[in-house]
Amino acid sequence: MTDRYAVIGNPVAHSRSPWIHAQFAQATGQDMEYVRIESPLEGFAQTVDDFRRRGGCGANVTLPFKEAAYRYSAVLTHRARAARAANTLQFAENGVLGDNTDGAGLVRDLVSNLGCAMAGIRVLLIGAGGAARGVILPLLEAGCAQLVVANRTPARAAALAAEFASNERAHPLSATGFDGLAGASFDLVINATSAGLSGAALPLPATVFGRDALAYDMVYGHDTPFLAQARAAGARACDGWGMLVEQAAESFLLWRGVRPPTAPVLAALRAV
Ligand code: NAP
């Protein structure tokens, strides 16, 4: 019987996940289908319950339900616990496993696709929302020497860093507002804000982009003022398509036990 998966969100019509997972299934010979499910805003648990009753094996979860998916899960991976959010659910007889593959997807894109050696580098992470929280532990685990979280509302950056204070890997982590970035310089600058979606530029000093820096915007599908700022400062600029594809591949690996090839999928998405 064909195994069933879904992406659950609201809205979800725009999601590229069904197409990405169809490519993965074809490339690895997996007998599975993957559909979109739009859940009512107040009905996430009911939506997942229904999908499980209809034979669903697992699901990806997108905005605005990643925290609800975290609460729904009976068992959580350590990366879902650190993110306080789940983007991947695996259904089993004895309950639901919640995982978060966003951070692993980002690090894999940085390391494997973009050739960024993470050990010992200085990283600036801009933003203090769910996307930023989801990548902090994987970035620390990848071995960066410095991880500065900067946010428009500095108190949110401080609160986010404080969440990780008890983690044994947290010593490279600190927080600041944009004012605190004057004179600072980084090897990797990651934009985890939604500013690019509204075309807003970030008030970053050009000096944050260090020599040979890589600038990464989690937003995908259109060029952003952040990427333009980075290019103007001489940095290499990359959008978030790779993170999207690699987090999907991490979910696929969890569900199917096989890592799908991502390069052709990424190339096809970028070519559209
Ligand atoms: P969120 O929880 O709404 O967080 C929004 C963040 O953006 C906050 O830190 C906010 O600062 C900041 N912000 C918004 N507008 C700004 C502006 N004009 N100037 C400066 N800062 C601004 O959103 P999220 O869930 O973290 O997602 C952030 C982005 O990551 C989204 O665009 C999402 O599409 C993207 N994302 C991509 C992937 C991928 O696979 N590529 C995965 C996950 C997320 P304040 O705290 O000051 O309000």
Side-chain angles (χ1 to χ4, degrees):
M1 204 174 91
T2 301
D3 289 339
R4 307 185 71 203
Y5 297 87
V7 55
I8 302 173
N10 185 336
V12 78
H14 66 284
S15 174
R16 307 305 290 268
S17 294
W19 183 82
I20 293 170
H21 282 277
Q23 302 304 303
F24 289 167
Q26 192 175 30
T28 57
Q30 299 287 305
D31 184 11
M32 58 184 276
E33 65 166 36
Y34 186 114
V35 298
R36 292 182 186 85
I37 298 177
E38 183 167 295
S39 169
L41 290 175
E42 300 306 321
F44 175 76
Q46 178 74 51
T47 300
V48 184
D49 287 346
D50 288 348
F51 184 53
R52 289 171 67 191
R53 262 196 300 276
R54 287 185 280 116
C57 299
N60 283 132
V61 179
T62 187
L63 295 175
F65 298 124
K66 292 183 183 182
E67 286 82 14
Y70 173 81
R71 293 191 295 274
Y72 185 90
S73 304
V75 180
L76 291 157
T77 62
H78 84 289
R79 54 195 190 181
R81 274 199 302 275
R84 296 191 184 179
N87 75 336
T88 304
L89 300 176
Q90 185 174 36
F91 308 144
E93 291 284 305
N94 54 349
V96 173
L97 173 73
D99 193 7
N100 192 311
T101 64
D102 280 336
L106 170 68
V107 170
R108 196 167 177 93
D109 190 36
L110 289 168
V111 173
S112 302
N113 300 337
L114 300 170
C116 181
M118 295 295 298
I121 67 169
R122 303 161 299 169
V123 182
L124 172 61
L125 177 63
I126 308 166
R133 179 185 287 108
V135 302
I136 286 178
L137 186 62
L139 288 170
L140 291 170
E141 288 178 343
C144 57
Q146 189 186 8
L147 178 56
V148 176
V149 180
N151 195 47
R152 175 176 63 181
T153 310
R156 286 190 76 196
L160 183 54
E163 286 178 27
F164 291 83
S166 63
N167 190 292
E168 59 181 12
R169 292 180 180 271
H171 59 90
L173 184 62
S174 62
T176 184
F178 292 143
D179 288 352
L181 294 173
S185 187
F186 299 89
D187 305 300
L188 171 62
V189 182
I190 301 168
N191 184 13
T193 75
S194 49
L197 295 176
S198 58
L202 299 169
L204 299 175
T207 46
V208 297
F209 302 101
R211 190 186 160 92
D212 299 324
L214 174 63
Y216 193 100
D217 201 323
M218 288 192 191
V219 167
Y220 49 84
H222 54 94
D223 205 21
T224 64
F226 168 77
L227 293 177
Q229 279 170 285
R231 281 192 293 267
R236 183 157 66 116
C238 295
D239 63 20
W241 277 121
M243 178 176 174
L244 179 75
V245 173
E246 295 296 346
Q247 62 79 27
E250 292 285 329
S251 299
F252 192 91
L253 174 64
L254 175 80
W255 294 328
R256 310 303 298 181
V258 52
R259 182 177 287 283
T262 52
V265 177
L266 193 45
L269 284 170
R270 284 222 163 94
V272 174

